[in-house]
């Protein structure tokens, strides 16, 4: 009798231990990242405890992305969905609804001080009925272009992974701390590179306003004919205004972006006789064999291109 009670107790202890040790999900943790930069952060924090599926792939444009049935399947199977928020992913709500996912949707810009974008060139038609005598002010979603903000994304990812998989928490926190150190080092390099550029030359042109947070954090001015989204074409008047500014020697270099058609930038370059300085990675990483397949490589690539084009080195 006693023996069988002991046996039963032992069994239940084993069962409880097994339940405690096994997380509520079937390992690895199934993570969906809305785009490549977030996927890279997630891999750095999660290591081999997670399996990441990315919705908007390399060189993809999240502003105008149309989800596929495969995306809905990935969302339905996910334990955690990591998103930027600030309306960066216009497709998100439709995809959440279509997939009926039960995953927690984690917004990584939580805790970021958002900045407002007031169009200088683009969105002239959006000015109607908004604000005081200028373009309509909207929240800039590209917070990831500041490395200081990237560290907040990483912290939020580690917290979300810990909440979903307590057994992995020490590993997530350790990975996040190691990766944050690497981000600190890159941020130092970016600041040093900007400091090496004469102040009067710290103005460059890109196709859309993806670098507001970079500008705010590191003090390089970006002008763009297209606003903070790529979902509308700039007007001829906006482009002409930008060309005039460039001709008055107000920009030191001009770049195409990996996510947008280079046609407009090539047109401005030819009208102003400024040579296109290269490709900046704005809203997506490159293909794995490209120059910006990780966030850190993206920052290195962008600052190298900017410095090279302005200083001619
Ligand atoms: Zn963008």
């Amino acid at each position: 009798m006693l023996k069988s009670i002991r046996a039963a107790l032992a069994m239940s202890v084993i069962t409880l231990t097994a339940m405690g040790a096994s997380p509520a999900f079937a390992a690895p943790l199934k993570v969906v990242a809305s785009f490549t930069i977030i996927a890279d952060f997630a891999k750095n924090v999660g290591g081999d405890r997670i399996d990441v599926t990315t919705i908007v792939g390399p060189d993809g444009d999240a502003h105008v992305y149309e989800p596929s049935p495969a995306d809905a399947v990935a969302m339905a199977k996910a334990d955690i969905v990591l998103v930027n928020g600030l309306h960066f992913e216009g497709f998100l709500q439709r995809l959440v609804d279509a997939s009926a996912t039960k995953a927690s949707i984690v917004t990584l810009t939580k805790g970021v001080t958002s900045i407002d974008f007031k169009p200088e060139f683009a969105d002239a038609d959006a000015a109607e009925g908004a604000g005081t005598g200028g373009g309509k002010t909207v929240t800039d979603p590209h917070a990831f272009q500041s490395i200081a903000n990237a560290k907040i994304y990483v912290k939020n990812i580690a917290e979300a992974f810990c909440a979903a998989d307590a057994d992995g928490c020490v590993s997530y926190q350790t990975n996040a701390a190691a990766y944050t150190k690497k981000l600190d080092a890159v941020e130092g390099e970016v600041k040093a590179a900007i400091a090496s550029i004469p102040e009067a030359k710290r103005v460059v042109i890109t196709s859309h306003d993806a670098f507001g947070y970079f500008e705010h954090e590191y003090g390089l001015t970006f002008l763009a004919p297209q606003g903070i989204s790529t979902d509308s074409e700039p007007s001829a008047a906006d482009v002409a205004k930008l060309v005039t500014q460039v001709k008055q020697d107000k920009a030191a270099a001009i770049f195409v972006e990996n996510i947008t058609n280079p046609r407009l930038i090539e047109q401005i370059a030819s009208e102003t006789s400024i040579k296109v300085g290269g490709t900046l990675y704005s809203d997506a990483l490159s293909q794995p064999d490209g120059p910006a397949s990780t966030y850190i490589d993206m920052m290195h690539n962008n600052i190298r291109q900017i410095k090279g084009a302005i200083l001619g080195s």
Side-chain angles (χ1 to χ4, degrees), residues 5 16 44 49 72 78 86 121 127 158 192 197-198 207 246 251 254 260 262 284:
I5 290 171
L16 282 171
N44 276 286
R49 291 187 74 92
L86 304 179
F121 295 103
I197 300 169
S207 32
V246 174
I254 181 165
T260 56

Side-chain angles (χ1 to χ4, degrees), residues 75 88 122 127 165 188 206 209 224 229 236 249 279:
M75 288 284 281
F88 182 63
D165 170 22
T206 56
D209 275 295
S229 181
D249 200 21
T279 300

Side-chain angles (χ1 to χ4, degrees), residues 112-277:
V112 163
T113 304
S114 65
I115 61 175
D116 288 337
F117 168 75
K118 194 159 180 273
E120 191 174 353
F121 295 103
D123 293 354
D125 51 344
E128 290 164 34
T132 49
K136 185 183 173 187
T137 300
V138 284
T139 302
D140 183 345
H142 306 87
F144 47 83
Q145 283 293 350
S146 141
I147 301 169
N149 288 340
K151 290 184 258 183
I152 297 175
Y153 283 50
V154 167
K155 180 174 160 283
N156 287 336
I157 290 170
E159 281 172 10
F161 288 177
C162 281
D165 170 22
D167 291 342
C169 191
V170 170
S171 153
Y172 299 138
Q173 298 289 11
T174 307
N175 292 347
Y179 184 61
T180 298
K181 267 196 176 159
K182 289 186 193 171
L183 292 177
D184 284 335
V186 179
E187 191 169 36
E189 292 170 43
V190 167
K191 285 177 178 169
I194 304 281
S196 74
I197 300 169
E199 258 180 70
K201 291 197 161 195
R202 290 179 197 165
V203 181
V204 301
I205 293 169
T206 56
S207 32
H208 91 296
D209 275 295
F211 297 96
Y213 289 85
F214 188 99
E215 173 172 328
H216 182 78
E217 199 73 37
Y218 308 117
L220 187 80
T221 300
F222 290 80
L223 303 176
Q226 223 169 358
I228 54 166
S229 181
T230 55
D231 63 2
S232 62
E233 290 281 310
S235 70
D238 290 335
V239 175
K241 194 173 160 192
L242 188 54
V243 166
T244 305
Q245 286 231 357
V246 174
K247 282 183 175 163
Q248 290 164 350
D249 200 21
K250 293 211 171 126
I254 181 165
F255 297 93
V256 295
E257 287 174 34
N258 67 317
I259 67 153
T260 56
N261 187 321
R263 187 179 44 81
L264 179 62
I265 287 298
E266 283 161 358
Q267 179 201 332
I268 294 169
S270 84
E271 285 183 30
T272 57
S273 310
I274 296 188
K275 195 167 141 273
V276 175

